[in-house]
Every structure is written in structure tokens, then in C-alpha cells.
Amino acid sequence: MSDPAFALTRALREALLAHAPLTTLLGGAHVFDERPRGANPPYVAFVAHEVRDWSVQQQKAHEHFVTLEAMTARRSRADAQAQASAIEAALEDAALTLDGHTLVNLRLIFWSVARMKNTDHYGATLRFRAATEPTI
């Protein structure tokens, strides 16, 4: 059986890359598994993935909290908010296919936009909650 966190992250990244409005805002396929060292914004990166046991009776399951960061190419709160909206549109209640697991639900639970310290860029931080179960 595959790792549920890895399967979810892979499916989320694929959904983000397939969402044309987001890739247009990013100027290409700039969605990374981690903050890219030396890459120029705009981009989206996975910055945290917390997994908790969510099992019930005889059914194994996991609860995931996934944090994404979107970085703008310029000092623009509007750009950061547009990126956050596109990410939400791409992922909210998405019907994702996970290797070895079934996605029960996926919801945005938090987002914020702020100027990034020591830069001329704005960033958006989004946190999603997902529940997964192994495919039987």
C-alpha cells in the first residue's frame, strides 16, 4: 500500500498543474514540492503536510493538513489574492485520484495574504484539510 501523504500530495500537485487559470497566473508550471531555492516567483510550493490517524472501528483512515504557499512576482496584494483564489478553485472539493487511497473530502480551512519579510513580494498561505481512506 502506498503512503497516503505522498499519494495526496502528488494528486494535489497534479490538480494544481492542470488548472489553467492558476498556471496562467504563475506563467507556467511553477508548482513545487518545496520552496524552490533560487527560483524566481511567481510560484506555489508545498510547505507542510501534517497527518493524523482518523481511523474508525475497523477502517484505517487519515486526516491531512496541507499548507501551500503562493509567492507573487511583484509587490501586489491583488496578485496574491488572485493566486489564492485560483488554488482554492483548483482544489476545493476536487475529485482527486490517489494511488492506493480514496479521498473522502478536501476543504480549504484557512488562507491569508501578507507581504513577505525582506522581499518586495506578497505571499498567500493556504491550509487545506483532507480525509483519506485506503482503497480496499
Side-chain angles (χ1 to χ4, degrees):
M1 177 184 309
S2 67
D3 178 81
F6 182 75
L8 178 62
T9 299
R10 176 182 277 170
L12 291 171
R13 185 170 185 273
E14 289 172 1
L16 291 170
L17 290 169
H19 190 68
L22 178 62
T23 56
T24 298
L25 287 171
L26 298 176
H30 305 293
V31 179
F32 303 103
D33 289 333
E34 61 182 62
R35 287 184 189 113
R37 194 176 282 182
N40 293 323
Y43 62 79
V44 174
F46 289 82
V47 294
H49 192 142
E50 179 181 331
V51 181
R52 297 178 186 167
D53 181 43
W54 193 58
S55 302
V56 292
Q57 294 179 358
Q58 302 302 317
Q59 180 64 40
K60 184 81 171 162
H62 296 92
E63 181 180 41
H64 306 256
F65 294 93
V66 180
T67 305
L68 301 172
E69 178 181 84
M71 182 72 72
T72 64
R74 59 194 176 109
R75 190 172 178 168
S76 171
R77 181 181 304 275
D79 286 358
Q81 288 179 237
Q83 288 175 358
S85 293
I87 292 167
E88 180 180 12
L91 299 181
E92 186 80 6
D93 287 327
L96 304 179
T97 302
L98 281 63
D99 181 33
H101 299 271
T102 301
L103 181 65
V104 177
N105 63 29
L106 175 64
R107 302 291 298 174
L108 177 66
I109 58 172
F110 165 85
W111 71 267
S112 69
V113 170
R115 184 164 175 259
M116 304 308 284
K117 291 182 181 182
N118 304 321
T119 73
D120 286 329
H121 306 284
Y122 269 80
T125 302
L126 298 91
R127 190 163 199 209
F128 287 85
R129 181 207 173 265
T132 61
E133 298 173 341
T135 303
I136 300 174

